[in-house]
Amino acid sequence: MAVKLSTGYVRASGYAHKVRRVLFALARKKVEPKEIIRASAELNQRIFEEFQRLNVSKEDVVRITVDFRIKDGSIVWDYDSLRIEVYRKGEEERLAKAMEEVEERERELEEKIKAIEEVALNLKKLTDELIERIEELKQEHTSLKLRAEE
């Protein structure tokens, strides 16, 4: 099964650290930490080569995505899926719009999660109340049976 690594928006100067952090988050408990370090170093070298080919400067903002899979305890990169979006320093307006869109989607997601959590809490309260009433009915029924037997 393929997993997608996505750095989100990051300055080109900080991509290597971000790749390593994201990979640790995705592969933790699935492979050994030294394998994550090895695989992130391998990917970062490939990204660096692509940066040189694309003339990416350290001030540019990038978003990197690539698929990988875990095979026999090793991380195997699908380099054909490697995508590097580059936002040149002079394109800050375009990046600002993209960042606004990301932030708006995150806010919407947080609001939806909060609403679902409220529904879950209400359901739990109702469930507890139903269980309590069922227990009361059982007790009443049991006491009625006992009285009838007297």
Side-chain angles (χ1 to χ4, degrees), residues 15 23-24 42 47 50 73 75 80 84 88 107 144:
Y15 81 92
L23 187 57
F24 262 103
E42 177 186 312
I47 293 169
E50 286 297 306
I75 294 171
D80 290 336
I84 301 173
R88 307 284 176 194
R107 278 191 299 276
L144 286 175

Side-chain angles (χ1 to χ4, degrees), residues 121-137:
L121 286 173
N122 287 335
L123 284 172
K124 183 177 179 345
K125 283 171 63 177
L126 286 172
T127 301
D128 291 345
E129 190 176 321
L130 282 171
I131 289 170
E132 187 178 314
R133 289 187 180 182
I134 289 170
E135 289 303 316
E136 289 172 3
L137 284 173

Side-chain angles (χ1 to χ4, degrees), residues 85-102:
E85 294 175 45
V86 181
Y87 298 89
R88 307 284 176 194
K89 190 174 181 195
E91 298 176 337
E92 289 171 356
E93 183 178 323
R94 183 173 152 207
L95 176 62
K97 286 182 182 176
M99 290 300 289
E100 283 176 23
E101 182 180 321
V102 167

Side-chain angles (χ1 to χ4, degrees), residues 105-122:
R105 287 184 182 173
E106 286 177 350
R107 278 191 299 276
E108 289 172 2
L109 179 62
E110 285 177 26
E111 288 173 11
K112 288 177 182 177
I113 289 172
K114 188 176 180 179
I116 291 170
E117 287 173 342
E118 283 183 35
V119 169
L121 286 173
N122 287 335

Side-chain angles (χ1 to χ4, degrees), residues 51-64:
F51 278 9
Q52 288 181 318
R53 189 180 67 73
L54 296 168
N55 294 317
V56 175
S57 74
K58 64 183 181 178
E59 296 86 18
D60 292 340
V61 172
V62 296
R63 182 165 60 175
I64 302 162

Side-chain angles (χ1 to χ4, degrees), residues 5-11 14-24 44:
L5 179 144
S6 178
T7 62
Y9 295 101
V10 62
R11 287 254 180 239
Y15 81 92
H17 179 66
K18 183 71 175 227
V19 164
R20 190 169 39 256
R21 280 188 15 228
V22 171
L23 187 57
F24 262 103
N44 283 333

Side-chain angles (χ1 to χ4, degrees), residues 5 19-20 23 27 31-47 68-69 73-77 79:
L5 179 144
V19 164
R20 190 169 39 256
L23 187 57
V31 298
E32 294 291 321
K34 65 182 182 181
E35 171 58 15
I36 295 171
I37 293 168
R38 182 210 61 80
S40 63
E42 177 186 312
L43 177 61
N44 283 333
Q45 179 61 41
R46 182 70 167 260
I47 293 169
F68 70 93
R69 58 188 166 77
S74 294
I75 294 171
V76 180
W77 297 109
Y79 287 116

